[in-house]
Amino acid sequence: MQTAKRGACKGCGPEYQVNDEYIQRVLSHPMFSSEHCVPEEVYQQRLAICQACPKLQDGISCSVCGCIIPVAAKLKARGCPLPGGGLWGTADAE
């Protein structure tokens, strides 16, 4: 039985590691058109908030919901999953 490396996703093998190339490929999908995304300023604010969060895992994913932060932070429909309302606020996606 293989053991997971510290901080690695327990369900994913090394062939599924998230890297910058993968994130850019995801963000280039038509789903990430401007109508579905927050403005760049809001996106950068969300990324900064997540970078300071103790739930950030390996600098890229959220240990609360498992999302890939650079992807989830782009979407208007997403919010911070922390209990109690999250850290992104509610009006920042407008």
Side-chain angles (χ1 to χ4, degrees), residues 53-75:
C53 181
K55 299 295 184 181
L56 183 66
Q57 191 174 339
D58 295 332
I60 200 152
S61 65
C62 175
S63 65
V64 174
C65 69
C67 71
I68 300 169
I69 298 296
V71 174
K74 272 272 197 205
L75 296 170

Side-chain angles (χ1 to χ4, degrees), residues 39-93:
E40 184 64 23
E41 180 180 316
V42 172
Y43 177 60
Q44 293 302 322
Q45 289 171 350
R46 287 178 171 192
L47 292 177
I49 289 168
C50 290
Q51 288 298 317
C53 181
K55 299 295 184 181
L56 183 66
Q57 191 174 339
D58 295 332
I60 200 152
S61 65
C62 175
S63 65
V64 174
C65 69
C67 71
I68 300 169
I69 298 296
V71 174
K74 272 272 197 205
L75 296 170
K76 287 180 183 178
R78 289 299 305 262
C80 173
L82 283 177
L87 300 176
W88 290 349
T90 54
D92 68 353

Side-chain angles (χ1 to χ4, degrees), residues 7-54:
C9 175
K10 295 175 184 165
C12 299
E15 68 274 17
Y16 296 107
Q17 296 300 309
V18 175
N19 58 33
D20 289 334
E21 180 183 331
Y22 172 80
I23 292 169
Q24 291 309 310
R25 191 172 68 242
V26 170
L27 293 176
S28 69
H29 189 276
M31 176 181 152
F32 292 92
S33 67
S34 61
E35 77 178 75
H36 299 289
C37 294
V38 295
E40 184 64 23
E41 180 180 316
V42 172
Y43 177 60
Q44 293 302 322
Q45 289 171 350
R46 287 178 171 192
L47 292 177
I49 289 168
C50 290
Q51 288 298 317
C53 181

